[in-house]
Amino acid sequence: MPLLFVALHGALLVVGGRHAWLVSLVFLILAPLMAGAACIYRARHGGFARGWIALAIAMLLWAGGMAGNLFSGLVLDSWSGVGALSMLLFILYGVPIILVLAVPEREPWPVRLIDAGLALALGYLFFRHTFALASLADASLSNIVKLRLMFDIENLYIFAFALIRFLASANPAQRAFFGGLSVYAALYLVTAAFINHLHSDVYYGQWPDLVIGLPFLILAGLALADRGGASMPVSLRFGRAVRVGGPLMLPAALLTVSAVLVGAQPLHAIAGCAAAILGYGMRTIWVQVRSLDAHDRLEHLARVDQLTGLGNRRQFDESLRREWLRAQRTGQGLALLMIDIDHFKLLNDSFGHPVGDRRLHEVAQALAGCATRGVDTVARYGGEEFAAILPGATPQHARMLAETMRAAVARLELPSPAPLGYVTVSIGIGHIDQVADGDVAVLAAAADAALYEAKQSGRNRSMTHAATG
């Protein structure tokens, strides 16, 4: 297909005569349009639609710039330079490509907005510098060198970014996209350098035009190629480094272009540097805040029992150790309640685990509602067992709260196959008046012994054991 397209282009150039320029412009509009159509097709059928759509937009922008040249030749009959609109479209061609290369997947919209602003700023600086130098035909030798340098920088960044993303992609769809983009970007880099450095003084309608369309035709073929393929092993560290460092691509490109502009347009260079620093700073702040929020959520999940909403065993263990040390420093007493749902295995076997889970949740809420002091901790200890830590509590207060909890659960009258016909709890109370140098295990052992006694005495009651430490 590419060879046929090039052959037809070349044949029409030969017979085109003085209209050969028109033939070339039509073919150079068709080539990126074909590539764009192939990218859209791949987006709908091949995965990683975001990347292929961005590439299709780039193709449309490039075709638009070439269409501007065609309009200039047909209507204005002027080859003195490229119009502002065409120049802008050629420059903006790289913006969606750089954006999809620099922005990681699944970023929130504020971060994407910042990255889009940086990409547009990069395109604007390219445009300002290029348009200020005018066309290659009218530019001085020094301006021609600067103009070529600017195009080389943009094309080189796109190729380098694409290759890095390809090497870091393990997902087959993404790897296929970045691999295809790397091949296209390499061909486009070489083609643009060939035209700009060796044939910049040759107008459309000559044989070098056959080379210009090749990268687009190759891209169309790659987009329509087999979409299969397995994932490739990629170093986890390298993949993470690229993902974390990817957002640096846009600011780095912006700073590079700004450095090139320092001599010719210092104000634009300063504005570009400021945009790069501020944009990346804002992005970093947003990402860090989001990361801290995610850390807090994970920390919360790590300490909360998902079924009951109470603290989990980890939270209980940490709280008990902390309160034991505090009681040791202050000389205050400490109480521990061990709470067990009576006949819970029978309930699960008779009514099923979903009902058992609901009973656990309902009992947990009743127990938590009784612990009104802010210093008290109610947690799920494990299975059908709960625990409550009561800092500074006297034996009388601990017994009163235990009875309040037991009665609160009984008042719910939750259906159960137990002898009473509803759910009840047994509570063991461990209490220590003054913590010395002992281990917190002595308090837990006292509460366990009291719970065992409560169960042996008929359940649906509370018992107290004193601990020494």
Side-chain angles (χ1 to χ4, degrees), residues 167-185:
L167 295 175
S169 297
N171 178 276
Q174 293 185 19
R175 192 173 180 85
F177 170 77
F178 290 119
L181 180 56
S182 298
V183 173
Y184 162 76

Side-chain angles (χ1 to χ4, degrees), residues 65 68-69 76 81-92 127 131:
N69 286 344
L76 302 180
V82 180
L85 180 59
S86 291
M87 184 68 73
L88 177 62
L89 293 176
F90 281 129
I91 296 299
L92 290 181
F127 170 70
F131 188 61

Side-chain angles (χ1 to χ4, degrees), residues 335-337 390 393-403 429-431:
L336 174 63
L337 310 185
L390 314 178
T394 64
Q396 294 77 14
H397 174 77
R399 281 194 293 268
M400 185 181 302
L401 181 59
E403 278 302 305
I429 307 166
H431 183 272

Side-chain angles (χ1 to χ4, degrees), residues 227-241:
R227 294 182 294 277
S231 59
M232 299 291 292
V234 175
S235 166
L236 181 61
R237 185 176 295 273
F238 177 65
R240 286 177 174 173

Side-chain angles (χ1 to χ4, degrees), residues 228-411:
S231 59
M232 299 291 292
V234 175
S235 166
L236 181 61
R237 185 176 295 273
F238 177 65
R240 286 177 174 173
V242 171
R243 177 173 176 79
V244 173
L248 277 171
M249 294 178 182
L250 279 172
L254 199 51
L255 289 172
T256 303
V257 175
S258 298
V260 175
L261 288 175
V262 168
Q265 300 183 49
L267 291 180
H268 284 92
I270 293 173
C273 290
I277 294 171
L278 291 176
Y280 187 71
M282 291 171 59
R283 191 187 198 285
T284 301
I285 290 173
W286 181 274
V287 171
Q288 287 295 327
V289 170
R290 185 164 165 256
S291 177
L292 290 174
D293 289 341
H295 178 270
D296 290 342
R297 287 194 298 270
L298 290 175
E299 186 69 16
H300 175 75
L301 290 173
R303 296 173 178 273
V304 173
D305 177 65
Q306 297 303 298
L307 177 61
T308 63
L310 300 180
N312 59 15
R313 178 62 180 270
R314 175 186 173 186
Q315 175 71 15
F316 166 79
D317 289 339
E318 292 179 359
S319 297
L320 185 57
R321 283 193 297 269
R322 183 176 62 249
E323 295 302 337
W324 179 266
L325 294 175
R326 181 179 299 169
Q328 195 174 50
R329 292 193 307 269
T330 62
Q332 293 181 326
L334 181 62
L336 174 63
L337 310 185
M338 299 300 291
I339 308 157
D340 190 82
I341 299 178
D342 297 324
H343 303 290
F344 187 75
K345 184 178 184 304
L346 179 61
L347 186 153
N348 256 343
D349 292 342
S350 301
F351 293 168
H353 288 282
V355 174
D357 288 345
R358 288 200 297 272
R359 296 294 180 263
L360 284 170
H361 177 78
E362 291 160 338
V363 169
Q365 298 310 302
L367 297 175
C370 296
T372 55
R373 297 193 312 166
V375 295
D376 295 340
T377 299
V378 180
R380 185 181 180 189
Y381 190 75
E384 71 273 20
E385 198 167 0
F386 301 88
I389 305 169
L390 314 178
T394 64
Q396 294 77 14
H397 174 77
R399 281 194 293 268
M400 185 181 302
L401 181 59
E403 278 302 305
T404 300
M405 287 180 167
R406 186 197 61 78
V409 173
R411 280 197 302 271

Side-chain angles (χ1 to χ4, degrees), residues 57-58 60-66 82-99 119-134 146-155 158 188 196 257:
I57 293 173
L60 293 177
L61 290 170
W62 203 95
M66 194 58 66
V82 180
L85 180 59
S86 291
M87 184 68 73
L88 177 62
L89 293 176
F90 281 129
I91 296 299
L92 290 181
Y93 142 85
V95 172
I97 300 178
I98 293 178
L99 191 59
L120 288 174
L122 179 62
Y124 176 75
L125 286 187
F126 270 120
F127 170 70
R128 285 294 305 177
H129 186 58
T130 305
F131 188 61
L133 297 176
K146 293 176 183 177
L147 195 60
R148 290 169 179 167
L149 176 62
M150 189 61 67
F151 281 119
D152 290 342
I153 289 174
E154 181 181 32
N155 296 333
I158 290 175
Y188 188 88
N196 292 337
V257 175

Side-chain angles (χ1 to χ4, degrees), residues 45-110:
H45 299 90
F48 197 53
R50 168 176 165 262
W52 291 106
I53 289 175
L55 198 49
I57 293 173
M59 297 299 104
L60 293 177
L61 290 170
W62 203 95
M66 194 58 66
N69 286 344
L70 179 61
F71 179 80
S72 177
L74 288 175
V75 179
L76 302 180
D77 194 24
S78 171
W79 290 102
S80 60
V82 180
L85 180 59
S86 291
M87 184 68 73
L88 177 62
L89 293 176
F90 281 129
I91 296 299
L92 290 181
Y93 142 85
V95 172
I97 300 178
I98 293 178
L99 191 59
V100 78
L101 288 171
V103 181
E105 292 71 42
R106 299 183 298 277
E107 291 285 14
W109 70 264

